[in-house]
Amino acid sequence: MEKIKVAVIGATGAVGQVFMWMLADHPWFEVAYITASAARVNQEYASTVHWLLPFEMPTSIRHTIISEFNADTMKSKGVKIVFSALPAEVAAEAEPHLRDLGFYIFSNASAMRYDKNVPILIPETNLSTLDLITDQGYPENGFVVTNSNCVTAGLAMAIAPLKKYGIKEISVCSYQAVSGAGYPGLSSFDITDNVIPYIAKEEEKIEKEIKKILSIDPIVYSYCVRVPVMFGHLEAVWLTLEQDVTTDMILQDWENFTDCNELPSTPERPVVYNHTNAFPQAKSAWWGTPHGMEVYTGRLKKKDGRIGFILLVNNLVKGSAGGSIQNAEAFVTRFGLIKQESRQ
Ligand SMILES: NC(=O)c1ccc[n+]([C@@H]2O[C@H](COP(=O)([O-])OP(=O)(O)OC[C@H]3O[C@@H](n4cnc5c(N)ncnc54)[C@H](OP(=O)(O)O)[C@@H]3O)[C@@H](O)[C@H]2O)c1
């Protein structure tokens, strides 16, 4: 099968690096164009990027040349799908522009997440919202599909199979890795040997996004805290459900949650529970197959009718680049793009 040509814009940042690493041997997609800020144009990827991931950089991406951001060149290289890892303020201009030019954009930025006809897609939880791309003019025009804020991605995954019980109230406190702020992110003076009880706009994003993704309307209480770990956001969650539910029922729901298994980036079990008291920990953030795509839950308990648990999501993989790639896989599967491409 001929692979679909994709671009990664913002390929040198924390999220961009995960795109490059995951796409290096993707069965359906092939990176044909990458960009970063102007200072890196014409440089080889390996010679300019500050590689952050705990794996060796794949050989196949080392010599990729960083291009100037130019939609015409991108088109001439055969690019259809664009993965965006741009800062929100840059994405706010670039993404609608690329959509107008007919590109299919899968974005990590918050810039367009709250537009009515732009889905915040997590395939296992709300696949049907992908159809919103037709409201943006697909197939005649391009579209933007976003993924959620990284904390919300983990939360939505753990809650989606419990939605049937009625989600009345969500209380969540997050313990978020420094990579969540991108590179170079926070000053080491601020975060070393420290915990910071505020992350700008994060709590508002969780509240808005969990409601949009799952089409629910609970009361949401949240605190977001930055902690001195590199990867993985831990979340302490309490739920008030409309129905009386046992912890065994919840374990069963997570066990049976196997949606979208046909997509190459979907793990066999997307939510994995472990009974060990000290699970999950941030250091497990890269576990699983594909690495970093599983959401881990633990410490499940019931008190005064409420359900509590701890979860771990890899903010750079399931919480961003991996989630975007999975969204693009869902798109090409649902809209038959693979077949269209191979016929041309
Ligand atoms: N980090 C996370 O855990 C996470 C999770 C979910 C969503 N997100 C979102 O994903 C996006 C990327 O986040 P990140 O953490 O990867 O940020 P980052 O590390 O700061 O990377 C930003 C990328 O955009 C490029 N860039 C910056 N300004 C640019 C400009 N004016 N023109 C062209 N390219 C420019 C950078 O290039 P240079 O390297 O050359 O500066 C870099 O490649 C953000 O919108 C963020 O909110 C991040």
Side-chain angles (χ1 to χ4, degrees):
M1 187 193 86
E2 199 185 325
K3 291 192 183 182
I4 297 170
K5 294 204 168 47
V6 303
V8 179
I9 55 175
T12 47
V15 175
Q17 292 182 30
V18 176
F19 273 128
M20 294 298 283
W21 163 68
M22 288 186 79
L23 291 169
D25 61 354
H26 194 280
W28 300 350
F29 305 134
E30 174 190 332
V31 175
Y33 195 82
I34 65 170
T35 73
S37 62
R40 298 189 201 273
V41 171
N42 291 330
Q43 296 191 49
E44 279 194 359
Y45 190 71
S47 71
T48 182
V49 72
H50 184 96
W51 190 250
L52 303 167
L53 307 189
F55 309 104
E56 199 177 356
M57 187 187 302
T59 314
S60 59
I61 67 174
R62 287 171 186 259
H63 302 295
T64 310
I65 300 292
I66 296 173
S67 297
E68 193 182 6
F69 181 80
N70 183 312
D72 290 336
T73 319
M74 215 150 81
K75 223 165 220 171
S76 71
K77 300 250 182 198
V79 168
K80 265 222 148 93
I81 288 178
V82 178
F83 291 111
S84 168
L86 293 174
E89 64 282 7
V90 185
E93 273 196 30
E95 292 177 0
H97 172 64
L98 290 173
R99 174 174 64 181
D100 290 347
L101 295 173
F103 290 99
Y104 308 148
I105 298 133
F106 292 86
S107 173
N108 286 273
S110 58
M112 300 184 71
R113 272 183 208 151
Y114 312 119
D115 291 9
K116 217 169 156 201
N117 60 8
V118 172
I120 305 179
L121 184 64
I122 302 178
E124 297 97 327
T125 75
N126 63 353
L127 185 60
S128 62
T129 64
L130 188 49
D131 294 345
L132 279 175
I133 63 174
T134 56
D135 292 356
Q136 296 181 56
Y138 177 81
E140 287 78 23
N141 302 320
F143 63 79
V144 176
V145 166
T146 62
N147 42 333
S148 71
N149 149 279
C150 37
V151 176
T152 315
L155 187 64
M157 287 295 292
I159 292 181
L162 315 180
K163 184 179 144 175
K164 61 191 175 194
Y165 302 125
I167 315 282
K168 268 171 58 178
E169 190 181 292
I170 302 169
S171 165
V172 54
C173 295
S174 69
Y175 306 79
Q176 299 186 215
V178 293
S179 58
Y183 186 79
L186 290 83
S187 156
S188 57
F189 279 90
D190 291 329
I191 194 63
T192 305
D193 199 20
N194 198 17
V195 166
I196 302 172
Y198 175 66
I199 302 175
K201 297 189 190 152
E202 203 80 346
E203 290 155 14
E204 295 84 341
K205 285 182 186 168
I206 295 171
E207 178 162 355
K208 248 190 196 167
E209 294 177 22
I210 197 72
K211 291 179 179 180
K212 178 167 173 176
I213 294 164
L214 296 182
S215 300
I216 54 176
D217 195 21
I219 304 168
V220 180
Y221 300 100
S222 63
Y223 274 119
C224 293
V225 176
R226 188 75 70 193
V227 296
V229 301
M230 275 286 279
F231 307 107
H233 293 348
L234 214 70
E235 303 172 35
V237 183
W238 282 100
L239 300 177
T240 306
L241 303 173
E242 271 157 26
Q243 294 178 33
D244 189 27
V245 175
T246 65
T247 52
D248 279 345
M249 288 160 78
I250 288 179
L251 290 177
Q252 205 58 55
D253 290 326
W254 283 335
E255 176 92 30
N256 296 339
F257 186 37
T258 54
D259 293 23
C260 297
N261 267 165
E262 71 287 2
L263 307 178
S265 298
T266 305
E268 207 175 304
R269 297 253 324 278
V271 177
V272 176
Y273 185 82
N274 189 307
H275 287 273
T276 312
N277 268 336
F279 186 90
Q281 298 184 16
K283 68 183 182 187
S284 318
W286 296 95
W287 287 8
T289 309
H291 293 297
M293 286 299 284
E294 290 174 354
V295 170
Y296 296 115
T297 52
R299 305 282 332 274
L300 180 64
K301 53 185 170 183
K302 185 173 179 184
K303 186 164 186 213
D304 299 334
R306 291 179 174 195
I307 298 292
F309 58 91
I310 306 272
L311 75 84
L312 172 73
V313 61
N314 184 315
N315 53 299
L316 293 180
V317 186
K318 181 61 180 173
S320 39
S324 259
I325 293 172
Q326 201 187 13
N327 288 350
E329 293 168 356
F331 160 67
V332 297
T333 307
R334 196 170 172 92
F335 288 89
L337 196 75
I338 297 178
K339 280 185 237 124
Q340 283 172 23
E341 285 290 303
S342 52
R343 260 190 257 123
Q344 282 170 1

Coordinates of all heavy atoms in Angstrom, one line a residue, residues 230-297:
M230 N 9.5 14.3 34.6 CA 9.7 14.6 33.1 C 8.4 14.3 32.3 O 8.0 15.1 31.5 CB 10.9 13.8 32.6 CG 12.2 14.5 32.8 SD 12.4 15.9 31.7 CE 12.9 15.1 30.2
F231 N 7.9 13.1 32.5 CA 6.8 12.7 31.6 C 5.7 12.1 32.5 O 5.9 11.4 33.5 CB 7.3 11.6 30.6 CG 8.5 12.0 29.8 CD1 9.7 11.4 30.1 CD2 8.4 12.9 28.8 CE1 10.8 11.8 29.4 CE2 9.5 13.3 28.1 CZ 10.7 12.7 28.4
G232 N 4.4 12.2 32.0 CA 3.3 11.5 32.6 C 2.6 12.4 33.6 O 3.1 13.0 34.5
H233 N 1.3 12.5 33.4 CA 0.4 13.3 34.3 C -0.4 12.3 35.2 O -1.1 11.4 34.6 CB -0.6 14.2 33.6 CG 0.0 15.3 32.8 ND1 1.3 15.7 32.9 CD2 -0.5 16.1 31.9 CE1 1.6 16.7 32.1 NE2 0.5 17.0 31.4
L234 N -0.3 12.4 36.5 CA -1.1 11.6 37.4 C -2.3 12.4 37.8 O -2.2 13.6 37.9 CB -0.2 11.3 38.6 CG -0.4 10.0 39.3 CD1 0.2 8.9 38.4 CD2 0.3 10.0 40.6
E235 N -3.5 11.7 38.0 CA -4.7 12.5 38.3 C -5.4 11.7 39.4 O -5.6 10.5 39.3 CB -5.6 12.6 37.1 CG -4.9 13.3 35.9 CD -5.8 13.3 34.6 OE1 -7.0 13.4 34.7 OE2 -5.2 13.2 33.6
A236 N -5.8 12.4 40.5 CA -6.6 11.8 41.6 C -8.0 12.2 41.3 O -8.3 13.4 41.3 CB -6.1 12.3 42.9
V237 N -8.9 11.3 41.1 CA -10.3 11.5 40.6 C -11.3 11.0 41.6 O -11.2 9.9 42.1 CB -10.5 10.8 39.2 CG1 -11.9 11.2 38.7 CG2 -9.4 11.2 38.2
W238 N -12.3 11.8 41.9 CA -13.5 11.4 42.6 C -14.7 11.7 41.7 O -14.9 12.7 41.1 CB -13.7 12.1 43.9 CG -12.8 11.6 45.0 CD1 -11.6 12.1 45.4 CD2 -13.0 10.4 45.8 NE1 -11.1 11.4 46.4 CE2 -11.9 10.3 46.6 CE3 -14.0 9.4 45.8 CZ2 -11.7 9.3 47.6 CZ3 -13.8 8.4 46.7 CH2 -12.7 8.3 47.6
L239 N -15.6 10.6 41.5 CA -16.8 10.8 40.7 C -18.0 10.6 41.6 O -18.1 9.7 42.4 CB -16.9 9.7 39.6 CG -15.7 9.6 38.6 CD1 -16.0 8.5 37.7 CD2 -15.6 10.9 37.8
T240 N -19.1 11.4 41.3 CA -20.4 11.1 41.9 C -21.2 10.7 40.7 O -21.4 11.4 39.7 CB -21.0 12.4 42.5 OG1 -20.1 12.9 43.5 CG2 -22.3 12.1 43.2
L241 N -21.8 9.5 40.8 CA -22.6 8.9 39.7 C -24.0 8.9 40.1 O -24.4 8.9 41.3 CB -22.1 7.5 39.4 CG -20.6 7.3 39.1 CD1 -20.2 5.9 39.0 CD2 -20.2 8.1 37.8
E242 N -24.9 8.9 39.1 CA -26.3 8.9 39.3 C -26.7 7.5 39.9 O -27.6 7.4 40.8 CB -27.1 9.2 38.1 CG -27.3 10.7 37.9 CD -27.6 11.2 36.5 OE1 -28.1 10.4 35.7 OE2 -27.3 12.3 36.2
Q243 N -26.1 6.5 39.4 CA -26.5 5.1 39.8 C -25.6 4.6 40.9 O -24.4 5.1 41.0 CB -26.5 4.2 38.6 CG -27.5 4.5 37.5 CD -27.4 3.6 36.4 OE1 -27.0 2.4 36.5 NE2 -27.7 4.1 35.2
D244 N -26.1 3.7 41.7 CA -25.2 3.1 42.7 C -24.4 2.0 42.0 O -24.9 1.0 41.5 CB -26.1 2.5 43.8 CG -25.3 2.0 44.9 OD1 -24.2 2.6 45.1 OD2 -25.7 1.1 45.6
V245 N -23.1 2.1 42.0 CA -22.2 1.3 41.2 C -21.2 0.7 42.1 O -20.6 1.4 43.0 CB -21.5 2.1 40.1 CG1 -20.5 1.3 39.3 CG2 -22.6 2.7 39.1
T246 N -20.8 -0.6 42.0 CA -19.8 -1.2 42.8 C -18.4 -1.0 42.1 O -18.4 -0.8 40.9 CB -20.0 -2.7 43.0 OG1 -19.9 -3.4 41.7 CG2 -21.4 -3.0 43.6
T247 N -17.4 -1.2 42.9 CA -16.0 -1.1 42.3 C -15.8 -2.2 41.3 O -15.1 -2.1 40.3 CB -14.9 -1.0 43.3 OG1 -15.1 -2.1 44.2 CG2 -15.0 0.3 44.1
D248 N -16.4 -3.4 41.6 CA -16.3 -4.5 40.7 C -16.9 -4.2 39.3 O -16.3 -4.6 38.2 CB -17.0 -5.8 41.2 CG -16.1 -6.5 42.2 OD1 -14.9 -6.2 42.3 OD2 -16.6 -7.3 43.0
M249 N -18.0 -3.5 39.3 CA -18.6 -3.1 38.0 C -17.7 -2.2 37.2 O -17.5 -2.4 36.0 CB -20.0 -2.4 38.2 CG -21.1 -3.3 38.7 SD -22.4 -2.4 39.5 CE -23.3 -1.7 38.1
I250 N -17.0 -1.3 37.9 CA -16.1 -0.4 37.2 C -14.9 -1.1 36.7 O -14.5 -0.9 35.5 CB -15.7 0.8 38.2 CG1 -16.9 1.6 38.3 CG2 -14.5 1.6 37.6 CD1 -16.8 2.8 39.3
L251 N -14.4 -2.0 37.4 CA -13.2 -2.8 36.9 C -13.6 -3.6 35.7 O -12.8 -3.7 34.7 CB -12.8 -3.8 38.0 CG -12.1 -3.2 39.2 CD1 -11.7 -4.3 40.3 CD2 -10.8 -2.5 38.8
Q252 N -14.8 -4.1 35.7 CA -15.3 -4.9 34.5 C -15.5 -3.9 33.3 O -15.1 -4.3 32.2 CB -16.7 -5.5 34.9 CG -17.1 -6.7 34.1 CD -16.0 -7.8 34.2 OE1 -15.7 -8.2 35.3 NE2 -15.5 -8.2 33.1
D253 N -16.0 -2.7 33.6 CA -16.1 -1.8 32.4 C -14.8 -1.4 31.8 O -14.7 -1.3 30.6 CB -16.8 -0.5 32.9 CG -18.3 -0.7 33.3 OD1 -18.9 -1.6 32.6 OD2 -18.8 -0.1 34.2
W254 N -13.8 -1.2 32.6 CA -12.4 -0.8 32.1 C -11.9 -2.1 31.3 O -11.3 -1.9 30.3 CB -11.5 -0.4 33.2 CG -11.7 1.0 33.7 CD1 -12.3 2.0 33.0 CD2 -11.4 1.5 35.0 NE1 -12.3 3.1 33.8 CE2 -11.8 2.9 35.0 CE3 -10.8 1.0 36.2 CZ2 -11.6 3.7 36.2 CZ3 -10.6 1.8 37.3 CH2 -11.0 3.1 37.3
E255 N -12.1 -3.2 31.9 CA -11.6 -4.5 31.3 C -12.2 -4.7 29.9 O -11.6 -5.1 29.0 CB -12.0 -5.6 32.2 CG -11.7 -7.0 31.7 CD -10.3 -7.5 32.2 OE1 -9.9 -7.1 33.3 OE2 -9.7 -8.3 31.4
N256 N -13.5 -4.4 29.8 CA -14.3 -4.6 28.5 C -14.1 -3.5 27.5 O -14.7 -3.5 26.4 CB -15.8 -4.8 28.8 CG -16.0 -6.0 29.7 OD1 -15.2 -6.9 29.7 ND2 -17.1 -6.1 30.3
F257 N -13.4 -2.4 27.9 CA -13.3 -1.2 27.0 C -12.3 -1.5 26.0 O -11.1 -1.3 26.2 CB -13.0 0.0 27.9 CG -13.0 1.3 27.3 CD1 -13.9 1.7 26.3 CD2 -12.0 2.3 27.7 CE1 -13.8 2.9 25.7 CE2 -12.0 3.5 27.1 CZ -12.9 3.9 26.1
T258 N -12.7 -1.9 24.8 CA -11.7 -2.2 23.8 C -12.1 -1.6 22.4 O -11.9 -2.2 21.4 CB -11.7 -3.8 23.6 OG1 -13.0 -4.2 23.3 CG2 -11.1 -4.5 24.8
D259 N -12.6 -0.4 22.4 CA -13.1 0.2 21.2 C -11.9 0.6 20.3 O -10.8 0.9 20.8 CB -13.9 1.5 21.5 CG -15.2 1.1 22.2 OD1 -15.3 0.1 22.8 OD2 -16.2 1.9 22.1
C260 N -12.2 0.7 19.0 CA -11.2 1.2 18.0 C -9.9 0.4 17.9 O -8.9 0.9 17.6 CB -10.9 2.7 18.3 SG -12.3 3.7 18.1
N261 N -10.0 -0.9 18.2 CA -8.9 -1.8 18.2 C -8.3 -2.0 16.8 O -7.1 -2.4 16.6 CB -9.2 -3.2 18.7 CG -8.9 -3.3 20.2 OD1 -9.4 -4.2 20.8 ND2 -8.2 -2.4 20.7
E262 N -9.0 -1.6 15.7 CA -8.5 -1.8 14.4 C -7.5 -0.7 14.0 O -6.8 -0.8 13.0 CB -9.7 -1.8 13.4 CG -10.4 -0.4 13.1 CD -11.3 0.0 14.3 OE1 -11.4 -0.7 15.3 OE2 -11.9 1.1 14.2
L263 N -7.4 0.4 14.8 CA -6.4 1.4 14.5 C -5.1 1.1 15.0 O -4.9 0.6 16.1 CB -6.9 2.8 15.1 CG -8.3 3.2 14.8 CD1 -8.6 4.5 15.6 CD2 -8.6 3.4 13.3
P264 N -4.0 1.2 14.2 CA -2.7 0.8 14.6 C -2.2 1.3 15.9 O -1.4 0.7 16.6 CB -1.8 1.2 13.4 CG -2.7 1.5 12.3 CD -4.0 1.8 12.8
S265 N -2.6 2.6 16.2 CA -2.1 3.2 17.5 C -3.0 2.9 18.7 O -2.7 3.5 19.8 CB -1.9 4.7 17.3 OG -1.0 4.9 16.3
T266 N -4.1 2.1 18.5 CA -4.9 1.8 19.7 C -4.3 0.6 20.4 O -4.1 -0.4 19.8 CB -6.4 1.5 19.3 OG1 -6.9 2.6 18.5 CG2 -7.2 1.3 20.5
P267 N -4.1 0.7 21.7 CA -3.6 -0.5 22.4 C -4.7 -1.5 22.5 O -5.9 -1.2 22.4 CB -3.3 0.1 23.8 CG -3.5 1.5 23.8 CD -4.3 1.9 22.6
E268 N -4.3 -2.7 22.8 CA -5.3 -3.8 22.9 C -6.3 -3.5 24.0 O -7.5 -3.7 23.9 CB -4.6 -5.1 23.2 CG -5.3 -6.3 22.8 CD -4.4 -7.6 23.0 OE1 -3.3 -7.6 22.5 OE2 -4.9 -8.5 23.7
R269 N -5.8 -3.0 25.1 CA -6.6 -2.5 26.3 C -6.3 -1.1 26.6 O -5.2 -0.8 27.2 CB -6.3 -3.4 27.5 CG -6.7 -4.9 27.3 CD -7.9 -5.3 28.1 NE -8.0 -4.6 29.3 CZ -7.4 -4.9 30.5 NH1 -6.6 -6.0 30.5 NH2 -7.6 -4.3 31.6
P270 N -7.1 -0.1 26.2 CA -6.7 1.3 26.3 C -6.7 1.8 27.8 O -6.0 2.8 28.1 CB -7.7 2.1 25.5 CG -8.7 1.1 25.1 CD -8.3 -0.3 25.4
V271 N -7.5 1.1 28.7 CA -7.4 1.5 30.1 C -7.1 0.3 30.9 O -7.8 -0.7 30.8 CB -8.8 2.1 30.6 CG1 -8.7 2.4 32.1 CG2 -9.2 3.3 29.8
V272 N -5.9 0.3 31.6 CA -5.4 -0.9 32.3 C -5.4 -0.6 33.8 O -4.7 0.3 34.2 CB -4.0 -1.2 31.7 CG1 -3.4 -2.4 32.5 CG2 -4.0 -1.5 30.2
Y273 N -6.1 -1.5 34.5 CA -6.1 -1.3 36.0 C -5.1 -2.3 36.6 O -4.9 -3.4 36.1 CB -7.5 -1.6 36.5 CG -7.6 -1.4 38.0 CD1 -7.8 -0.1 38.5 CD2 -7.4 -2.4 38.9 CE1 -7.8 0.2 39.9 CE2 -7.5 -2.2 40.3 CZ -7.7 -0.9 40.8 OH -7.7 -0.7 42.1
N274 N -4.5 -1.9 37.7 CA -3.6 -2.8 38.5 C -3.9 -2.6 39.9 O -4.1 -1.5 40.4 CB -2.1 -2.4 38.2 CG -1.2 -3.4 38.8 OD1 -1.2 -3.7 39.9 ND2 -0.3 -3.9 37.9
H275 N -4.1 -3.7 40.7 CA -4.5 -3.7 42.1 C -3.4 -3.3 43.0 O -3.6 -3.0 44.2 CB -5.0 -5.1 42.5 CG -6.3 -5.4 41.9 ND1 -7.5 -5.0 42.5 CD2 -6.7 -6.0 40.7 CE1 -8.5 -5.4 41.8 NE2 -8.1 -6.0 40.7
T276 N -2.1 -3.3 42.6 CA -1.0 -2.9 43.4 C -1.2 -1.5 44.0 O -1.5 -0.6 43.3 CB 0.3 -2.9 42.6 OG1 0.4 -4.1 41.9 CG2 1.5 -2.8 43.5
N277 N -1.0 -1.3 45.3 CA -1.3 0.0 46.0 C -0.5 1.1 45.4 O -0.9 2.2 45.3 CB -1.0 -0.1 47.5 CG -2.3 -0.5 48.2 OD1 -3.4 -0.2 47.7 ND2 -2.2 -1.1 49.3
A278 N 0.8 0.8 45.0 CA 1.6 1.9 44.5 C 1.5 2.1 43.0 O 2.5 2.6 42.4 CB 3.1 1.6 44.9
F279 N 0.4 1.8 42.4 CA 0.2 1.9 41.0 C -1.0 2.9 40.7 O -2.0 2.8 41.5 CB -0.1 0.5 40.3 CG -0.2 0.5 38.8 CD1 0.9 0.3 38.1 CD2 -1.4 0.8 38.2 CE1 0.8 0.3 36.7 CE2 -1.5 0.8 36.8 CZ -0.4 0.6 36.1
P280 N -0.9 3.7 39.7 CA 0.2 3.9 38.8 C 1.2 5.0 39.2 O 0.8 5.9 40.0 CB -0.6 4.4 37.5 CG -1.8 5.2 38.1 CD -2.1 4.5 39.4
Q281 N 2.4 4.9 38.7 CA 3.4 6.0 39.0 C 3.8 6.6 37.7 O 3.8 6.0 36.6 CB 4.6 5.3 39.6 CG 4.3 4.6 41.0 CD 5.5 4.1 41.7 OE1 6.6 4.4 41.3 NE2 5.3 3.2 42.6
A282 N 4.3 7.8 37.8 CA 4.7 8.6 36.6 C 5.8 7.8 35.8 O 5.8 7.9 34.5 CB 5.2 9.9 36.9
K283 N 6.6 7.0 36.5 CA 7.7 6.3 35.8 C 7.2 5.2 34.8 O 7.9 4.6 34.1 CB 8.7 5.8 36.7 CG 8.3 4.7 37.6 CD 9.5 4.3 38.6 CE 9.1 3.2 39.5 NZ 10.1 2.9 40.5
S284 N 5.9 4.9 34.9 CA 5.3 3.9 33.9 C 4.8 4.6 32.7 O 4.1 3.9 31.8 CB 4.1 3.2 34.6 OG 4.4 2.8 35.9
A285 N 5.0 5.9 32.5 CA 4.4 6.6 31.4 C 4.7 6.1 30.0 O 3.9 6.3 29.1 CB 4.8 8.1 31.5
W286 N 5.8 5.4 29.9 CA 6.2 4.9 28.5 C 5.9 3.4 28.4 O 6.3 2.8 27.4 CB 7.7 5.2 28.2 CG 7.9 6.7 28.2 CD1 8.4 7.4 29.2 CD2 7.7 7.5 27.0 NE1 8.5 8.8 28.8 CE2 8.1 8.8 27.5 CE3 7.3 7.4 25.7 CZ2 8.0 9.9 26.6 CZ3 7.2 8.5 24.9 CH2 7.6 9.7 25.3
W287 N 5.2 2.8 29.3 CA 4.9 1.4 29.2 C 3.8 1.2 28.1 O 3.3 2.1 27.6 CB 4.2 0.9 30.5 CG 5.2 0.7 31.7 CD1 6.5 1.1 31.7 CD2 4.9 0.1 32.9 NE1 7.0 0.8 32.9 CE2 6.1 0.2 33.7 CE3 3.8 -0.4 33.5 CZ2 6.2 -0.3 35.0 CZ3 3.8 -0.9 34.8 CH2 5.0 -0.8 35.5
G288 N 3.6 -0.1 27.8 CA 2.5 -0.4 26.9 C 2.9 -0.5 25.4 O 4.0 -0.1 25.0
T289 N 1.9 -1.0 24.6 CA 2.1 -1.1 23.2 C 0.9 -0.5 22.5 O -0.2 -1.0 22.7 CB 2.3 -2.5 22.7 OG1 3.3 -3.2 23.5 CG2 2.7 -2.6 21.3
P290 N 1.1 0.5 21.6 CA 2.3 1.3 21.4 C 2.7 2.1 22.7 O 1.8 2.4 23.5 CB 1.9 2.3 20.3 CG 0.6 1.8 19.7 CD 0.0 1.0 20.8
H291 N 3.9 2.3 22.9 CA 4.4 3.0 24.1 C 3.6 4.3 24.4 O 3.5 5.1 23.5 CB 5.9 3.3 24.0 CG 6.8 2.2 23.9 ND1 6.9 1.3 24.9 CD2 7.6 1.8 22.9 CE1 7.8 0.3 24.6 NE2 8.2 0.6 23.4
G292 N 3.2 4.4 25.6 CA 2.6 5.7 26.1 C 1.1 5.8 25.6 O 0.5 6.9 25.9
M293 N 0.5 4.8 25.0 CA -0.9 5.0 24.5 C -1.9 4.4 25.5 O -3.1 4.7 25.4 CB -1.1 4.3 23.2 CG -0.5 5.1 22.0 SD -1.1 6.8 21.8 CE -2.7 6.5 21.0
E294 N -1.4 3.6 26.5 CA -2.4 3.1 27.5 C -2.6 4.1 28.6 O -1.6 4.8 29.0 CB -1.8 1.8 28.1 CG -1.8 0.7 27.1 CD -1.2 -0.6 27.6 OE1 -0.6 -0.6 28.7 OE2 -1.2 -1.6 26.8
V295 N -3.8 4.2 29.2 CA -4.1 4.9 30.4 C -4.1 4.0 31.5 O -4.8 2.9 31.4 CB -5.4 5.7 30.2 CG1 -5.8 6.3 31.5 CG2 -5.3 6.8 29.1
Y296 N -3.4 4.3 32.6 CA -3.3 3.3 33.7 C -4.2 3.8 34.9 O -4.2 5.0 35.2 CB -1.9 3.2 34.2 CG -1.0 2.5 33.1 CD1 0.0 3.2 32.5 CD2 -1.3 1.3 32.7 CE1 0.8 2.7 31.5 CE2 -0.6 0.7 31.7 CZ 0.5 1.4 31.1 OH 1.2 0.8 30.1
T297 N -4.9 2.9 35.5 CA -5.8 3.3 36.6 C -5.4 2.4 37.8 O -4.9 1.3 37.6 CB -7.3 3.2 36.3 OG1 -7.5 1.8 35.8 CG2 -7.7 4.2 35.3

